[in-house]
């Protein structure tokens, strides 16, 4: 499984069920369908900024030009502040994911001190749960394909469960975000479990593995020393899989420009 050179989707080799030239959309792009209202929120914020700028212009442009310039510059910068914070958090998360993958195979690997809370909590969790010795794969690309539903994504960690929990498979996703979000349920409990069941025995598992029960877990790792690790297990995996499949169909419907309108009508044809 490989990411295409534009990073817009995955292509699959060595699986006769999937055409090699077929581009499978990323799970994240399918989850974007849930992002209703984002554009409206940005528009509302920009209207607010514009209003502040106009009011500042009326109040201070003539008597206090330097004050107006300073405040107007601050308002303009604030338009991008949210995106800058988001990018910084995303960069931290990507670096933490890469570091944990490498530490899985070499616990003595040196790392930047800023990642100490993440690494410490992660190491203790693996040891306390016994999963550290039951890791099957890390950063594993998974995919799913049929005529109407197709996607691919990368699971952070796949482990064999403990015997007391049935000895099945666990799909685990790391997060360094501040909170848990509903779309994470569909990402891990829906998309990744579907993709693991479909592609696992084609790549790194055997048929016996695929008959085992499956669990899905999201691990929220602390970014600072005063935070704690939080783990949530996703319930009712079949339901999450069903909803994610529905989401795939909605995305397909949304992107298809030929399936919505019959034709344009003139007034006399109404």
């Amino acid at each position: 499984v490989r990411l295409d050179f534009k990073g817009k989707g995955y292509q699959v080799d060595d699986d006769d069920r999937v055409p090699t030239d077929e581009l499978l959309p990323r799970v994240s792009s399918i989850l974007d369908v849930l992002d209703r209202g984002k554009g409206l929120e940005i528009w509302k914020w920009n209207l607010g900024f514009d209003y502040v700028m106009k009011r500042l212009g009326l109040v201070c442009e003539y008597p206090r030009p330097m004050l107006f310039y300073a405040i107007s510059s601050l308002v303009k910068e604030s338009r991008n502040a949210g995106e800058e914070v988001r990018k910084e958090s995303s960069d931290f998360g990507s670096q933490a994911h890469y570091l944990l993958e490498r530490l899985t195979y070499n616990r003595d690997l040196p790392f930047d001190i800023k990642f100490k809370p993440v690494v410490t909590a992660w190491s203790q969790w693996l040891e306390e749960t016994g999963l550290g010795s039951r890791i099957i794969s890390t950063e594993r690309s998974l995919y799913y394909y049929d005529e109407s539903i197709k996607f691919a994504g990368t699971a952070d960690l796949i482990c064999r469960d403990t015997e007391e929990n049935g000895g099945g498979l666990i799909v685990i996703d790391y997060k360094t975000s501040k909170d848990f979000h509903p779309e994470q349920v569909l990402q891990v409990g829906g998309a990744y479990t579907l993709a693991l069941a479909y592609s696992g025995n084609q790549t790194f598992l055997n048929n016996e593995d695929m008959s085992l029960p499956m669990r899905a877990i999201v691990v929220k790792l602390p970014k600072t020393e005063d935070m704690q690790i939080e783990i949530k297990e996703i319930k009712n995996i079949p339901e999450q899989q069903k909803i994610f499949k529905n989401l795939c169909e909605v995305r397909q419907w949304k992107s298809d420009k030929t399936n919505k309108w019959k034709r344009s009508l003139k007034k006399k044809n109404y």
Side-chain angles (χ1 to χ4, degrees), residues 78-100:
S78 69
R79 291 179 186 267
N80 299 320
E83 178 60 23
E84 290 175 2
V85 171
R86 186 205 65 78
K87 185 178 184 303
E88 182 179 343
S89 296
S90 177
D91 290 345
F92 180 92
S94 297
Q95 293 168 15
H97 277 70
Y98 176 68
L99 174 61
L100 295 184

Side-chain angles (χ1 to χ4, degrees), residues 1-3 10-13 24 140-143 152-153 199 203:
V1 185
R2 51 192 166 84
L3 196 63
Y10 290 84
Q11 291 176 291
V12 177
D13 298 318
L24 308 187
R140 170 61 63 172
S141 294
L142 304 169
Y143 58 91
S199 63
T203 52

